[in-house]
Amino acid sequence: MNTETGKTALITGASSGIGQELAKLFAQDGYNLVLVARSDDTLNRLADVFRSNYGTQQITVIGKDLSQENSAQEVYDEVKRQGITVNYLVNDAGLSTYGKFATETDWEKETELIHLNVVTFTHLTKLFLKDMVARNEGRVLNLSSLVAVVPFPLQTVYAATKAYIYSFTLSMNNELKDTNVTMTALMPNATDTDFFNKAGAADTVITDSLQDPVMVARDGYKAFLKGESKVIPGGAKNKMYEIMGYVAPPEMTGAMMRYNNERKDSEAVKKQQKTIAWTIGVAAGVVVSVAALLAAYNNTNAIDRARYRYKAKSAGRSAKNALASVTDSLNGTYHDVKSKVEEALA
C-alpha cells in the first residue's frame, strides 16, 4: 500500500487495455481516482470493482468523448467543480485508423484521431500541468509507442501522433528539470488490447506477437513513480527495436514495419516472409555490434580508443552497405508484388 494515501490520479482511456491496468495499479496502492472514458457504464462497473477489491476511498467517473472539441476543458472544469486536486495525470486515451492514407482511410476518423492523440492530449496536459508547477509537485505519464521512432505504414497518422507525444515529453522534461514535476513517456511495442480491432487491423501480422498489457502497465507505472523520462517495457528485445529506429535507414525499418502491418493473407506477406526474417537478423546484428563497440570503447585507453574509432568507421560503412542491399531487396520485392497484383486486376 502506498503511503501517500489521499493523492489523486486522473487516467484517460481507463475503461480498457493499458489504461485500465494502470488504473488498477493506482487503486491497489491506495490512490483516489478520476476515471475518464466514453462509457459511463463501463467506468462505473470498474469503480465498483476497485471499491470492493481495494477499498478505494474516492472514485470520480467522467464520461467524455475526448476526440471532440473542448473536451479537455470540460474534464478540467468538472474536476475543479468537484474540488479535486489531480496529483498524477495519465494520458492513455488514443485511437488509430488502418489503411493507405491517400486512398483508403477516412478523413473524419483521422480528424478524431488527431484531436484525441494530439489536441486533447496537449490541452489536458497544459491545464493540469500548470497547477502542478504552481504547487511544485506532480507527475504526468504519456502513452507514446515504439512506433514513435520508426515509420509505421498503414497506420501513418497514428505513428505521427505518437512521435509528437514522445517529442513533447522529452522537451517538457527539459522545461521541468528545475521543478518537482516529472513527465514520462511510456513506449510499448504492440500490446494485446482492443486497439487493433477498433482500428480495423485485427488480422495483421503484428497481432501474432502482442505484449501483455499487465506487464506494460506495470513497467510504465514503476518508471512513472520514479520520475523517469521514458520507459520501454518488455526488456532487451524492445530496447533493440528502439536502437534500430535510430541507427537503421528509415527505408529498411519502414519496409519491416509495413510487413508487420500487412494483413496476414496478403500476397505481400507471403512474398516477403524470408526477406523480412533476414532483414531483422541483419538489423539485430548491427545493433549488437554497435553496443559491443561502445562498451569496449568506454573501457580502453586513448590509443585503443583511436583504433576503435577506425574500426567503428569501417563497421559503419559495411553495415550501411549491407542495409542498403536489404532495402533494395525489399523495395524490389514490393514493386514486383505490386506489378503482379495490378496485372491480375487488369
Side-chain angles (χ1 to χ4, degrees):
M1 179 70 70
N2 195 287
T3 58
E4 295 184 305
T5 303
K7 289 194 172 185
T8 299
L10 186 153
I11 301 127
T12 69
S15 61
S16 64
I18 298 170
Q20 184 178 114
E21 296 301 330
L22 284 165
K24 186 185 299 182
L25 291 169
F26 278 105
Q28 289 173 345
D29 278 354
Y31 292 100
N32 298 322
L33 301 174
V34 178
L35 306 178
V36 183
R38 285 183 293 182
S39 173
D40 294 71
D41 291 342
T42 302
L43 291 178
N44 282 318
R45 287 195 295 271
L46 189 64
D48 289 340
V49 171
F50 289 165
R51 292 189 188 100
S52 175
N53 290 354
Y54 312 121
T56 310
Q57 295 298 308
Q58 297 180 25
I59 303 179
T60 303
V61 167
I62 300 178
K64 186 69 62 177
D65 183 351
L66 296 178
S67 68
Q68 300 304 305
E69 194 74 27
N70 297 322
S71 54
Q73 187 69 56
E74 290 167 1
V75 168
Y76 180 79
D77 290 345
E78 179 61 20
V79 168
K80 287 297 182 182
R81 188 188 69 79
Q82 297 195 38
I84 299 171
T85 297
V86 171
N87 307 97
Y88 298 144
L89 172 64
V90 177
N91 289 306
D92 174 82
L95 58 86
S96 185
T97 57
Y98 179 83
K100 294 178 181 177
F101 175 77
T103 57
E104 296 177 353
T105 55
D106 180 78
W107 174 241
E108 289 186 4
K109 291 182 179 179
E110 282 167 337
T111 301
E112 291 181 356
L113 184 164
I114 294 168
H115 199 97
L116 174 58
N117 293 14
V118 177
V119 178
T120 298
F121 154 76
T122 308
H123 193 194
L124 200 65
T125 302
K126 188 175 186 70
L127 291 168
F128 285 106
L129 189 63
K130 185 176 181 180
D131 293 342
M132 291 179 184
V133 171
R135 298 191 308 267
N136 198 30
E137 67 88 25
R139 300 192 190 283
V140 181
L141 178 63
N142 299 326
L143 186 64
S144 181
S145 170
L146 272 178
V147 300
V149 296
V150 295
F152 199 39
L154 303 180
Q155 292 191 58
T156 299
V157 178
Y158 168 79
T161 64
K162 291 302 178 179
Y164 171 85
I165 291 171
Y166 180 49
S167 176
F168 178 92
T169 304
L170 295 184
S171 296
M172 285 307 309
N173 268 288
N174 178 270
E175 292 188 23
L176 296 169
K177 63 184 177 63
D178 296 322
T179 74
N180 290 321
V181 181
T182 64
M183 190 174 291
T184 303
L186 174 55
M187 303 176 67
N189 207 331
T191 305
D192 189 11
T193 67
D194 202 32
F195 170 84
F196 288 96
N197 184 51
K198 290 179 178 177
D203 59 344
T204 52
V205 173
I206 200 169
T207 59
D208 285 337
S209 55
L210 299 177
Q211 295 189 130
D212 180 7
V214 175
M215 177 275 293
V216 171
R218 183 189 64 241
D219 287 2
Y221 184 71
K222 289 179 180 178
F224 164 75
L225 291 180
K226 292 178 182 177
E228 297 177 4
S229 61
K230 70 175 181 179
V231 55
I232 298 172
K237 177 182 177 181
N238 286 335
K239 289 182 175 62
M240 183 194 75
Y241 280 124
E242 183 201 17
I243 296 172
M244 193 185 304
Y246 298 138
V247 303
E251 294 84 1
M252 190 204 77
T253 54
M256 184 172 66
M257 296 306 291
R258 171 66 181 268
Y259 168 83
N260 285 332
N261 218 13
E262 291 278 6
R263 300 197 186 278
K264 297 174 187 177
D265 60 353
S266 69
E267 287 298 321
V269 166
K270 296 173 184 177
K271 184 75 173 180
Q272 292 187 41
Q273 283 176 340
K274 291 183 179 180
T275 307
I276 285 292
W278 187 62
T279 301
I280 295 173
V282 170
V286 172
V287 171
V288 170
S289 297
V290 170
L293 283 171
L294 287 174
Y297 180 84
N298 289 329
N299 290 284
T300 54
N301 57 41
I303 295 175
D304 287 336
R305 286 188 180 187
R307 292 172 180 166
Y308 271 112
R309 281 198 294 270
Y310 173 77
K311 290 180 180 179
K313 289 180 181 178
S314 298
R317 285 192 293 269
S318 298
K320 184 176 180 181
N321 291 336
L323 292 171
S325 176
V326 172
T327 302
D328 289 343
S329 177
L330 287 171
N331 286 335
T333 300
Y334 168 74
H335 288 296
D336 181 52
V337 171
K338 181 174 181 291
S339 63
K340 289 181 179 178
V341 171
E342 288 174 345
E343 289 175 4
L345 294 175

